[in-house]
Amino acid sequence: MDELLRDFIAETTEHLTVLDRDLVAIEQSPEDRGLIGDAFRTVHSIKGTCGFLGLKRLETLLHAAETLLGKIRDGVLPAGPAIGMLLGACDRAKTIVTALASEGHEPDGADGDIVARLELSARAGTAMPGAEAPRAPEPATGGPAASEPATPPLGAAGSIRVNLDTIDRLMAEVSELVLTRNQLMQMLRDRTDGEAMLALQRLSHVTSDLQESVMQTRMQPIGQAWAKLPRMMRDLGRELGKKIELKLEGSETELDRQVLELIKDPFTHLIRNAADHGIETPAERRRAGKTEAGTVTLAARQEGSAIVITLADDGHGIDARQIRASLRRGDFATEAELRAMSEQQLQQFVFHPGFTTAAQVTSVSGRGVGLDVVRSNVEKLGGTVELASTPGRGTRFTIKIPLTLAIVPALLLDCVGQRFAIPQTAVAELIRAGADHPIEWIHDAPVLRLRGNLLPLVALRDVLGFGTPAGERETLIAVLGYGMQRFGVMIDDVDDAEEIVVKSLSPLLRGIKLFAGSTILGDGSVVLILDPGALAAAVGTVESVEPPRAAPPLRHNAVPRSGGWLLFRAGADTPKALPLAAILRIEEVAPRQIEWIESQPVMLYRGATLPLHSFGILDHAPGKQCVVVVEQSGKTGGFLVDEIIDTVDETPVLDRTLARPGVLGVAMMGGRMTEILDIADGAAAGKGDAKSSRSAA
């Protein structure tokens, strides 16, 4: 392809993207003469170059669009009604340029329908009805027309166009240079030769500066990935019959071109999800006391070596009841599993492949692939996605991704004599386990008390399958953050902190989900890079329970969040807890008052049969028994107690990974690991007690 034509395609692709954005802005602000003038000059510039290159079809189409824009600029024709036609012309121009890039010449075809409407509207001074043409499909990514320029457009002072492959090769060479620098520093670390160390120091500085400069050439504003979103939101609003305002903040934030390409799809799916599932119709918003137009805000900012992107809407939020109903329809979880899930856990199902809350499949949603694509693409980048939703107020997605995938800061961990790397962005802190931070065990699961919170732990040697090494030693704990989770990884030691060059895994190792890549260290050794997401999956979920103002009616697996707790011991050393709000009274009963119906211990209480949960107490405590009587939805049950410990008024941090029938999980209460009992579960009401040969006297 001729070099001049190649430059025209790249520049025109960029101009048409800008024109698309400007036309949507004009529709929202039809009195903005500056925007109208910019759109007119963009079309005029492309048309002039088409004439020079002999691109007659594209020139004819853009000439008609330019004439109509001229009428709008001169005030002859109002801007609003004509925007649909101009957007249709812009889409047709994109289709022609895409074909031009792949074939080297203009494709066959006619644009008489669009041209005739544009010309007729310009002559009549009003937009023709039905003028907006259906939008053409987006050009496929990766082709010449879709490639973003790595430098400013031609004509900008001191700038040139550089092929992206050239920059990628340059980045690969710099990565090898960084590896060589690290190797030299490793070899000469113990040398005392002043001249050699001075030369090495200069080499290190030059290498760092070169690395930063080359990485800067790959950095592009995130706004380039957002360029098509205003048009998309405008079209979605019309298709769904909703009024939606899209706000973009931090468009100038820069990140690596490779990362930018990979996050375009997640943005598209998040915008479609917010428009279809998040924002309500104008009528629904009026009934909820909101403005008719919903707001979707997309913002980006840099935090250290990562980019944080948030997408928030002020819609109706995520309804846990609707998710439960969809899970039942799709057979994603059993009824018992659904009852055991918190609202936060239910919300995470929106990322599950194939899951959707849409009642029917439409052109926008209903196939259950949107948010699944978001999470999978972000995790491929080594990033995380967090979801927070408040019913009636809206939903917020928070995406955290690295600035670049090529060179990242990492910690080198030691485990049973072998080294592994983990990105520093995932490490919150390092803690030495000992007297100040003892490791405790609940049902064979290690946990750590950290600043009043319960932190689940996982041993890296167990995850890797090394087994427990001979001898005991102090354990270092790396506290990691992944999405909504915080957990600790028990390691032997930290060797060093180093910038590493990320290499893709060998095809033989790609099936092992524990590793995200590999790197070569300065001593020439190959080190595998741990995937924080895989470590999080080995731990489970820890959920914080916030206290509300008043104790609500107890539901199945609901945890009361205020009003105090009764701590007691029953059948085992681990304390147990019940909410005071659910306790009717505490009775002391003689053994003869307890009877058995099949395997169920019961007693007579206020003229009715009271089922009891015995915890096996009746088999070893023949004397008087203490019974805690609780009420749930008008039904009563009892717990046999060995010893009342205390009453506390605390907010539990519930670890649901240790849940089982009758026990919601464990939490730190009264300075001890405590089991939180589920008063609504059938097992907690007495079912499932082991059969006893004893019968009450």
Side-chain angles (χ1 to χ4, degrees):
M1 185 184 297
D2 182 76
E3 187 68 28
L4 188 61
L5 183 59
R6 188 161 31 243
D7 287 343
F8 166 78
I9 291 170
E11 192 168 298
T12 301
T13 299
E14 183 180 344
H15 284 326
L16 289 174
T17 300
V18 173
L19 177 63
D20 199 84
R21 182 192 63 203
D22 287 346
L23 289 174
V24 173
I26 291 171
E27 186 176 47
Q28 297 172 349
S29 305
E31 303 303 322
D32 192 329
R33 313 311 298 176
L35 280 173
I36 296 173
D38 290 344
F40 179 85
R41 285 188 290 273
T42 299
V43 174
H44 179 77
S45 176
I46 301 174
K47 189 197 78 169
T49 309
C50 289
F52 176 76
L53 295 175
L55 304 173
K56 296 299 183 183
R57 180 181 174 186
L58 193 56
E59 181 185 14
T60 301
L61 175 65
L62 294 176
H63 177 74
E66 179 190 26
T67 302
L68 184 57
L69 270 170
K71 296 287 186 180
I72 296 174
R73 183 192 59 177
D74 298 338
V76 176
L77 182 67
I83 295 300
M85 268 188 303
L86 292 169
L87 286 171
C90 184
D91 289 341
R92 184 65 62 87
K94 290 178 184 178
T95 302
I96 296 173
V97 172
T98 301
L100 181 63
S102 60
E103 300 173 11
H105 59 82
E106 283 188 308
D108 296 332
D111 310 304
D113 53 342
I114 296 180
V115 172
R117 285 197 295 268
L118 291 169
E119 292 177 344
L120 185 59
S121 295
R123 287 196 300 269
T126 181
M128 295 296 101
E132 184 168 358
R135 191 176 185 188
E138 297 289 348
T141 58
S147 299
E148 302 286 357
T151 58
L154 282 174
S159 66
I160 61 172
R161 288 191 183 275
V162 179
N163 190 284
L164 293 176
D165 291 338
T166 301
I167 294 181
D168 288 341
R169 286 197 301 272
L170 183 59
M171 189 66 198
E173 295 297 333
V174 169
S175 299
E176 294 300 323
L177 180 60
V178 170
L179 287 176
T180 305
R181 185 270 311 268
N182 293 345
Q183 188 172 7
L184 282 173
M185 294 183 69
Q186 182 78 19
M187 293 169 58
L188 302 178
R189 179 169 293 177
D190 299 327
R191 290 281 296 272
T192 57
D193 187 342
E195 290 186 1
M197 293 306 298
L198 181 61
L200 179 60
Q201 187 176 22
R202 290 179 58 192
L203 174 63
S204 178
H205 287 163
V206 172
T207 302
S208 297
D209 291 343
L210 179 60
Q211 171 193 336
E212 184 177 349
S213 298
V214 173
M215 288 179 64
Q216 193 61 40
T217 64
R218 290 167 53 102
M219 304 295 279
Q220 293 181 313
I222 198 171
Q224 291 193 6
W226 294 355
K228 299 175 182 178
L229 300 184
R231 170 70 187 281
M232 179 187 300
M233 187 61 83
R234 179 250 186 200
D235 292 345
L236 284 171
R238 292 195 165 203
E239 182 178 349
L240 298 169
K242 300 177 180 180
K243 296 180 180 180
I244 309 174
E245 179 183 357
L246 177 64
K247 293 182 178 180
L248 302 177
E249 301 174 359
S251 299
E252 70 284 354
T253 305
E254 293 186 331
L255 71 165
D256 190 281
R257 179 192 67 83
Q258 183 183 2
V259 178
L260 194 68
E261 289 294 327
L262 292 173
I263 62 173
K264 285 183 178 179
D265 276 350
F267 286 147
T268 300
H269 288 293
L270 284 175
I271 287 291
R272 294 169 70 89
N273 181 78
D276 191 25
H277 295 287
I279 301 298
E280 311 96 326
T281 63
E284 290 172 335
R285 292 182 65 85
R286 283 195 302 270
R287 286 194 296 269
K290 301 180 181 180
T291 59
E292 287 192 355
T295 302
V296 177
T297 303
L298 186 59
R301 68 183 186 276
Q302 183 175 344
E303 288 186 1
S305 60
I307 294 292
V308 178
I309 305 163
T310 59
L311 185 138
D313 65 67
D314 63 349
H316 49 60
I318 298 177
D319 189 346
R321 293 172 299 180
Q322 188 178 8
I323 292 182
R324 276 196 176 93
S326 298
L327 290 173
R328 290 188 182 99
R329 288 198 305 269
D331 196 24
F332 288 95
T334 65
E335 196 65 33
E337 290 172 337
L338 289 176
R339 288 197 300 268
M341 291 180 191
S342 66
E343 186 169 319
Q344 186 183 75
Q345 290 172 317
L346 286 169
Q347 290 176 357
Q348 300 306 310
F349 263 95
V350 301
F351 296 108
H352 196 284
F355 176 79
T356 180
T357 56
Q360 58 185 4
V361 176
T362 67
S363 60
V364 179
S365 64
R367 300 188 184 275
V369 296
L371 295 181
D372 170 38
V373 171
V374 173
R375 170 167 279 183
S376 60
N377 282 20
V378 170
E379 289 181 351
K380 285 177 185 176
L381 296 172
T384 60
V385 184
E386 297 180 7
L387 167 64
S389 183
T390 304
R393 299 181 60 183
T395 302
R396 175 185 296 270
F397 292 91
T398 302
I399 299 175
K400 190 172 184 179
I401 53 178
L403 273 172
T404 178
L405 300 181
I407 301 174
V408 298
L411 285 180
L412 300 180
L413 311 178
D414 181 79
C415 182
V416 197
Q418 298 196 35
R419 287 183 294 179
F420 299 90
I422 190 166
Q424 285 189 16
T425 53
V427 182
E429 57 184 312
L430 294 171
I431 297 173
R432 177 71 66 180
D436 294 335
H437 297 95
I439 296 176
E440 301 183 34
W441 296 81
I442 301 293
H443 297 293
D444 298 326
V447 293
L448 180 74
R449 286 184 285 179
L450 182 61
R451 292 186 288 275
N453 293 324
L454 185 66
L455 190 73
L457 303 178
V458 62
L460 182 58
R461 57 177 174 261
D462 292 338
V463 176
L464 295 171
F466 288 149
T468 304
E472 292 294 332
R473 57 174 297 180
E474 283 191 322
T475 299
L476 192 66
I477 298 174
V479 180
L480 306 186
Y482 182 78
M484 301 292 289
Q485 294 179 252
R486 280 177 69 85
F487 59 95
V489 178
M490 294 185 288
I491 58 178
D492 293 341
D493 208 347
V494 172
D495 281 346
D496 203 354
E498 188 174 305
E499 284 190 334
I500 61 173
V501 178
V502 179
K503 303 283 188 179
S504 59
L505 285 175
S506 164
L508 296 175
L509 299 177
R510 286 177 187 166
I512 305 176
K513 302 300 183 182
L514 186 61
F515 305 114
S518 62
T519 188
I520 302 174
L521 299 183
D523 59 3
S525 60
V526 177
V527 168
L528 294 172
I529 302 171
L530 295 168
D531 182 1
L535 294 174
V539 176
T541 305
V542 171
E543 173 194 356
S544 280
V545 183
E546 300 294 338
R549 297 298 178 185
L554 296 178
R555 302 184 307 273
H556 189 90
N557 276 342
V559 179
R561 304 175 184 180
S562 67
W565 299 79
L566 176 70
L567 303 186
F568 61 92
R569 189 171 286 104
D573 290 335
T574 304
K576 298 174 173 56
L578 284 169
L580 291 177
I583 297 174
L584 293 178
R585 60 188 294 117
I586 299 176
E587 300 273 1
E588 190 176 71
V589 300
R592 66 176 182 276
Q593 294 178 259
I594 300 174
E595 300 182 9
W596 291 82
I597 300 178
E598 296 182 351
S599 61
Q600 173 71 64
V602 297
M603 62 174 283
L604 189 64
Y605 177 74
R606 294 185 177 179
T609 299
L610 183 75
L612 300 176
H613 193 305
S614 73
F615 300 106
I617 291 174
L618 296 177
D619 292 325
H620 65 78
K624 286 190 174 182
Q625 301 295 320
C626 184
V627 177
V628 178
V629 182
V630 297
E631 182 180 20
Q632 157 66 22
S633 301
K635 298 180 180 180
T636 55
F639 294 86
L640 290 171
V641 173
D642 279 331
E643 177 190 2
I644 300 292
I645 300 175
D646 199 359
T647 59
V648 296
D649 189 3
E650 298 182 8
T651 299
V653 179
L654 186 64
D655 181 0
R656 292 186 183 272
T657 60
L658 303 176
R660 63 184 190 278
V663 178
L664 294 179
V666 298
M668 182 65 62
M669 299 186 72
R672 292 285 305 275
M673 292 298 174
T674 303
E675 293 182 336
I676 308 296
L677 299 183
D678 179 6
I679 66 170
D681 193 280
K687 296 179 183 178
D689 277 342
K691 288 190 177 183
S692 175
S693 59
R694 298 178 69 251
S695 62

